[in-house]
Amino acid sequence: MEHEIDIAPGVRLWAEERGDPDAAALLLVMGANASGLAWPDSLVDALARHHRVVRYDHRDTGRSSWSFDDEPYALTDLAADAVGVLDALGVERAHVVGMSVGGMLTQLLLLDHPDRTATATFIGTTPMSGGPTDPPFDLDPDVLAMWATMNEPRDREAELDWRVEHWRLLNGGRLPFDPGEFRRMEERIMAHAGRHDSPNAHARAGQEGFDRGAELAAVTTPALVIDSPADPLAGTASARHLASLLGNARLVTVPGLGHALPEAVVPQLAEVILGHTAPDTAGTSASA
């Protein structure tokens, strides 16, 4: 079932839910500049066998309003959007799974809306700054070089080529990369959005408000940090540091995982997420 949610004046979000509407809700929060359709359908369907799964397009992605050029905002405002999606769908409390920047937004939800989060799962997530002994995290120079061209105008085919190459770099080099798989995904996202230009507003949005890492020690919500050892942006060091900051977290490694979600990793990802959200484990305490 699809929804259009008026989240703020002039801002409408696209959302979709799958699964039993009476099952425990699970909210998927995608990363920066990425449509909710970047969550593989096979993963959504696997999770929906046990949950009422909600995924959505951030503002300035997919079928949601592209509003940044008229009304600039900070990245932290996207956390309020996630709460607004829950409110609009009548979800009081949800398991939350955040990917990349979506995981940083999930950290904000744990701090500011702990009553709305049953569990939290982090994939490819950099910890917020401000925690004890923050280590340096080096981003892959090839990815940084590609990001420098993100805002350049491209026709549809050139934009598709750019996005597929971007996913190839993010995949990390340990798991096989199928360019056709990611090209099909991006073709679907373009059709869904009705446009092919680069969704880059989040790269231009304000970055303030992510300096609250020291507060994560007080979090009691059960958290699962998935270590993506081949991740060129948020690899093992990031995962271990995030797990150490959270007050109630455990760390699980998915071998070969990078900063992309190829079909090859979906079965194991679904298994570890569902293991975390299961009623007999979601309320238990664990340590990193």
Side-chain angles (χ1 to χ4, degrees), residues 31-34 58-61 66 68-69 72-76 78 101 143-144 146-152 154 162 166 198-208 210:
N33 301 316
H58 295 297
R59 59 177 81 184
D60 288 279
T61 74
W66 291 49
F68 182 83
D69 289 335
Y73 50 84
L75 269 182
T76 52
L78 301 182
V101 167
V143 176
L144 291 177
M146 192 150 199
W147 286 355
T149 68
M150 182 184 298
N151 297 346
E152 294 177 359
R154 290 178 285 271
W162 190 97
H166 187 227
S198 171
N200 56 52
H202 300 164
R204 296 180 283 134
Q207 307 290 311
E208 64 275 7
F210 288 113

Side-chain angles (χ1 to χ4, degrees), residues 222-233:
L224 171 67
V225 180
I226 295 178
D227 169 25
S228 44
D231 194 327
L233 302 181

Side-chain angles (χ1 to χ4, degrees), residues 56-266:
Y56 66 101
D57 290 337
H58 295 297
R59 59 177 81 184
D60 288 279
T61 74
R63 204 177 291 175
S64 292
S65 298
W66 291 49
S67 58
F68 182 83
D69 289 335
D70 296 322
E71 295 287 341
Y73 50 84
L75 269 182
T76 52
D77 291 330
L78 301 182
D81 288 355
V83 176
V85 169
L86 296 179
D87 289 342
L89 299 183
V91 176
E92 293 185 5
R93 197 161 177 255
H95 302 279
V96 182
V97 180
M99 171 78 188
S100 191
V101 167
M104 295 186 72
L105 302 177
T106 302
Q107 292 171 59
L108 291 176
L109 296 184
L110 289 176
L111 294 178
D112 296 334
H113 302 279
D115 57 320
R116 307 300 295 272
T117 53
T119 67
T121 299
F122 301 93
I123 307 170
T125 299
T126 301
M128 289 193 291
S129 63
T133 61
D134 282 342
F137 298 112
D138 295 325
L139 301 182
D140 186 281
D142 290 337
V143 176
L144 291 177
M146 192 150 199
W147 286 355
T149 68
M150 182 184 298
N151 297 346
E152 294 177 359
R154 290 178 285 271
D155 63 24
R156 182 180 182 279
E157 287 305 307
E159 177 65 18
L160 272 172
D161 290 342
W162 190 97
R163 295 188 193 186
V164 172
E165 175 62 12
H166 187 227
W167 283 120
R168 185 190 69 78
L169 292 175
L170 294 181
N171 194 58
R174 296 193 195 175
L175 292 176
F177 180 74
D178 179 359
E181 175 187 331
F182 284 88
R183 193 174 192 87
R184 288 188 295 272
M185 180 186 75
E186 289 296 348
E187 287 175 334
R188 183 180 175 212
I189 288 172
M190 286 182 181
H192 169 72
R195 57 195 296 171
H196 73 265
D197 48 321
S198 171
N200 56 52
H202 300 164
R204 296 180 283 134
Q207 307 290 311
E208 64 275 7
F210 288 113
D211 56 352
R212 302 174 60 188
E215 300 175 45
L216 295 173
V219 169
T220 59
T221 302
L224 171 67
V225 180
I226 295 178
D227 169 25
S228 44
D231 194 327
L233 302 181
T236 297
S238 288
R240 288 178 176 171
H241 188 54
L242 176 58
S244 74
L245 292 178
L246 288 159
N248 183 13
R250 63 191 180 97
L251 185 69
V252 173
T253 298
V254 174
L257 181 63
H259 204 77
L261 302 177
E263 289 292 336
V265 302
V266 165

